[in-house]
Amino acid sequence: MIKDILHKIKSSLPSSVTLVAVSKTKSKEQITEVYEAGQKDFGENYVQELCDKHEQLPKDIHWHFIGHLQSNKVKFIASFVHLIHSVDSLKLLLEINKEAKKNKRVINCLLQIYISGEETKFGFDFTECLDLLKSGELKQLANVNVVGFMGMASNTNDANQIHKEFSSLKKFQQSLVTNKHPLNVLSFGMSGDYKIAIEEGSNMIRIGSIIFGERDYSKK
Ligand SMILES: *Cc1c(COP(=O)(O)O)cnc(C)c1O
């Protein structure tokens, strides 16, 4: 049962850690089952799918956007999205600010940092991110609130490598404590590596397959 799995994961987590149930490709019925077991935070990767689910599912769900976000699609989610984890450019941040303003909202965002050695992962590198934080640009954006960072480790069985990658992000965040921004949300850890992530200081994990089962993309 989904419910038992959810409770088992939740009871193993330190209270400081927020669990985001990643529901991409999963049906309304499956999400409802997890929602009814007490889960309020859900993560989605695709704008259209997120909009459909937002419309059809209970309004007190906190919808997290965790996939690659194109600037021209921000407008579709700006009225309701709870946290955007995957901000990987200033251009995107400017667009989020613009759409948030239209909706009279402040949208919470994480800057996605590239921590793995893999070429396919999006994100700022540490230097680019530091430059952005120092530039003062963020303070101009009244309708965007950057609250922390998101990262994805390499897809590998090498636990040492994963430890190293997550730890680099935690250290980066700690090096910024003098900065005036409250950058305290650290979103890293998925089904395969969330235990390592928590050991390395994650306070927001994004778990899909161990809650919902493996994804079957062929059914989409
Ligand atoms: C799909 C996805 C997850 C969840 O992955 P699982 O391995 O199923 O837990 C987490 N984060 C992002 C960005 C994802 O795209």
Side-chain angles (χ1 to χ4, degrees), residues 35-50:
Y35 171 82
E36 284 175 352
Q39 178 66 21
K40 289 289 182 310
D41 291 89
F42 289 87
E44 289 283 338
N45 289 50
Y46 308 102
V47 168
Q48 185 60 53
E49 187 178 342
L50 171 56

Side-chain angles (χ1 to χ4, degrees), residues 22 24 45 66-67 150 152 189-192 206-210 213 215 217:
V22 176
K24 62 186 179 209
N45 289 50
I66 64 172
M150 184 268 232
M152 286 170 89
M190 319 193 337
S191 290
R206 310 178 309 267
I207 306 274
S209 29
I210 58 174
R215 285 174 293 277
Y217 285 100

Side-chain angles (χ1 to χ4, degrees), residues 27-69:
S27 69
K28 269 187 300 170
E29 290 72 23
Q30 286 169 299
I31 296 172
T32 301
E33 194 180 347
V34 176
Y35 171 82
E36 284 175 352
Q39 178 66 21
K40 289 289 182 310
D41 291 89
F42 289 87
E44 289 283 338
N45 289 50
Y46 308 102
V47 168
Q48 185 60 53
E49 187 178 342
L50 171 56
C51 291
D52 292 346
K53 287 173 176 173
H54 167 253
E55 212 165 276
Q56 295 165 8
L57 288 161
K59 289 295 172 280
D60 63 340
I61 289 181
H62 292 161
W63 290 108
H64 296 244
F65 193 84
I66 64 172
H68 182 59
L69 182 57

